[in-house]
Amino acid sequence: MKWSNQKPPGLDNIFDRHQRPHAIGGDPVVLVDGAAHLTLANAISDSNAESSGLYVHIPFCPSRCLSCDHLALVEHDGAVIDNYLEVLASEMMLMAQASHTPIKVDRLHIGGGSPNYLEDIQLAKLMASIHSAFEITADAEISMEINPRRTSRAQFELLQGLGIRNLHLEVRDVDSNVQNELGRTQSFSLLEDVYGMARDMNFDSVTMDFLFGLPGQTSSSVKDSVSMIAELAPDVLLCQQYTRRPHQFPHQAAIDEGAMPSLAAKLAIFNSVVVGLENRGYVWVGLNAFVKQGHPLAVAQQNRTLEYNTFGYSAVKSAQTLGAGIGSVSEIEDVVAQNYIDVDAWKIAVQQGHLATQFLVETTEFELARRSVMRSLMCNVSVPVSSLVTPKVAELVDSLESQGYTEREGGFVYLTSLGRLALPHFWSDSSPRFRWL
Ligand code: SF4
């Protein structure tokens, strides 16, 4: 099996969207439909879901990291951010009005950008507008992405007061050479302080992200980074692969292409992550998450009930997820809809009084079957043979098997060790734009 030519045999032709955004362009996965907003509004109206997940996107950051592949806007004018929050409040109200009953939210994630770049008053307004539009259940899991360089104890106190109990720290890598290549300085001692503060203040959980395939990374540097992070003991470490895409993110042109690890090196780097974390007692969940023993995600995987949706891995099946803010994705039954990415287009849609949906992800029988099989393999590392009823999907799985990525036993198709190490390179991505839905 040759990986060194940047093209592992077969996989790229099978399930890969490595070079194509899942919902930004590139047929046949995406449909651009002038009435897309009506499709989403009807899906909300027809939904009988008892509760919903809600993702809210706050794109603002104080500066742009060279590696950034998120939907982020550098903004220093508070009035512009205020205006975004006002439109966001209207958008969430439109979602609420599309439903015939109050929408109960049992899982809320505020992502970015750097949501904690907002001023205290803006954070309070944001939470107030979420509560105005939706009924947040008493036991809702509420989390926020945190830029460790922009936080403080006072901010954490505010977040707790606003009901945020789970933090997702944006780390990328703690190696100083890698950070230099990324144009992003975030010392380990700063991360230690922020993490210590979160633990000291009894937040329910702390998740960190770690990227593999960054410029300057080697399997040896990653071994050290993983060891330092594991010492802190976050509840969850999400490991996403990184790809330099200057044609999509022009600022990434400043990253030295020569410093990017080859695909073969990335395979070794990810292996180093797996070995390092498993040796420190972490459980490898799904394709690319590592959790502490006994964590609900580990239990769900063991019970083959782990789910994957627009939030990522979940121990509990979300009947539906709604997305508010630019680029956000909603998923209700078979309807997967993405908001305008362009902030002006998003605002105009909302100001015209309709949902800001730009794209619908295609939901042919084949795409639905493929998504279901992929999610099952991603979450539970297996899929029942009996579920491979769509001939084209069965052919794809046969192809995986013939190349050693899967094998059959006892009525299930399982990922092999090679498959489990290989697929995170194609089905995980540090850029939400390139992640599978
Ligand atoms: S990498 Fe994170 S902190 Fe840096 S610009 Fe992008 S969203 Fe902002």
Side-chain angles (χ1 to χ4, degrees), residues 60-61 63-65 67-70 72 112-114 145 147 149 170 172 184:
F60 305 108
C61 282
S63 58
R64 170 89 66 188
C65 307
S67 64
C68 183
D69 47 12
H70 288 200
S114 299
E145 192 169 343
N147 179 339
R149 294 168 295 172
E170 198 192 27
R172 303 213 146 198
R184 173 190 169 93

Side-chain angles (χ1 to χ4, degrees), residues 223-244:
K223 199 170 154 201
D224 292 342
S225 296
V226 160
S227 164
M228 290 161 81
I229 292 171
E231 271 305 298
L232 296 180
D235 298 281
V236 180
L237 193 62
L238 269 179
C239 297
Q240 310 273 17
Q241 76 86 24
Y242 180 78
T243 298
R244 177 181 176 272

Side-chain angles (χ1 to χ4, degrees), residues 216-277:
Q217 259 181 351
T218 62
S219 47
S220 157
S221 77
V222 160
K223 199 170 154 201
D224 292 342
S225 296
V226 160
S227 164
M228 290 161 81
I229 292 171
E231 271 305 298
L232 296 180
D235 298 281
V236 180
L237 193 62
L238 269 179
C239 297
Q240 310 273 17
Q241 76 86 24
Y242 180 78
T243 298
R244 177 181 176 272
R245 299 182 177 99
H247 44 296
Q248 260 102 12
F249 305 102
H251 51 272
Q252 291 181 359
I255 293 179
D256 177 10
E257 196 177 357
M260 296 302 297
S262 67
L263 193 54
K266 277 167 90 168
L267 191 65
I269 287 169
F270 185 62
N271 189 51
S272 219
V273 171
V274 173
V275 171
L277 289 171

Side-chain angles (χ1 to χ4, degrees), residues 272-289:
S272 219
V273 171
V274 173
V275 171
L277 289 171
E278 287 191 331
N279 283 345
R280 284 165 183 81
Y282 276 83
V283 181
W284 185 6
V285 166
L287 289 184
N288 59 324

Side-chain angles (χ1 to χ4, degrees), residues 122-285:
Q122 291 169 329
L123 285 167
K125 273 188 194 162
L126 169 66
M127 288 308 288
S129 60
I130 293 170
H131 280 276
S132 294
F134 304 107
E135 197 179 308
I136 309 295
T137 61
D139 57 353
E141 183 186 318
I142 306 181
S143 56
M144 183 186 269
E145 192 169 343
I146 297 291
N147 179 339
R149 294 168 295 172
R150 302 295 306 187
T151 199
S152 63
R153 182 171 279 270
Q155 186 181 65
F156 276 6
E157 282 168 2
L158 173 77
L159 296 183
Q160 283 193 333
L162 295 174
I164 292 156
R165 300 287 324 160
N166 305 278
L167 303 179
H168 186 134
L169 302 185
E170 198 192 27
V171 175
R172 303 213 146 198
D173 195 344
V174 294
D175 183 280
S176 53
N177 291 330
V178 174
Q179 289 189 5
N180 284 343
E181 295 284 352
L182 298 180
R184 173 190 169 93
T185 310
Q186 181 177 286
S187 70
F188 186 68
S189 60
L190 171 90
L191 184 64
E192 257 182 322
D193 287 350
V194 170
Y195 180 82
M197 208 160 65
R199 287 304 188 204
D200 197 36
M201 295 176 67
N202 294 319
F203 277 89
D204 290 348
S205 73
V206 182
T207 295
M208 292 187 190
D209 67 351
F210 183 82
L211 307 192
F212 61 94
L214 290 171
Q217 259 181 351
T218 62
S219 47
S220 157
S221 77
V222 160
K223 199 170 154 201
D224 292 342
S225 296
V226 160
S227 164
M228 290 161 81
I229 292 171
E231 271 305 298
L232 296 180
D235 298 281
V236 180
L237 193 62
L238 269 179
C239 297
Q240 310 273 17
Q241 76 86 24
Y242 180 78
T243 298
R244 177 181 176 272
R245 299 182 177 99
H247 44 296
Q248 260 102 12
F249 305 102
H251 51 272
Q252 291 181 359
I255 293 179
D256 177 10
E257 196 177 357
M260 296 302 297
S262 67
L263 193 54
K266 277 167 90 168
L267 191 65
I269 287 169
F270 185 62
N271 189 51
S272 219
V273 171
V274 173
V275 171
L277 289 171
E278 287 191 331
N279 283 345
R280 284 165 183 81
Y282 276 83
V283 181
W284 185 6
V285 166

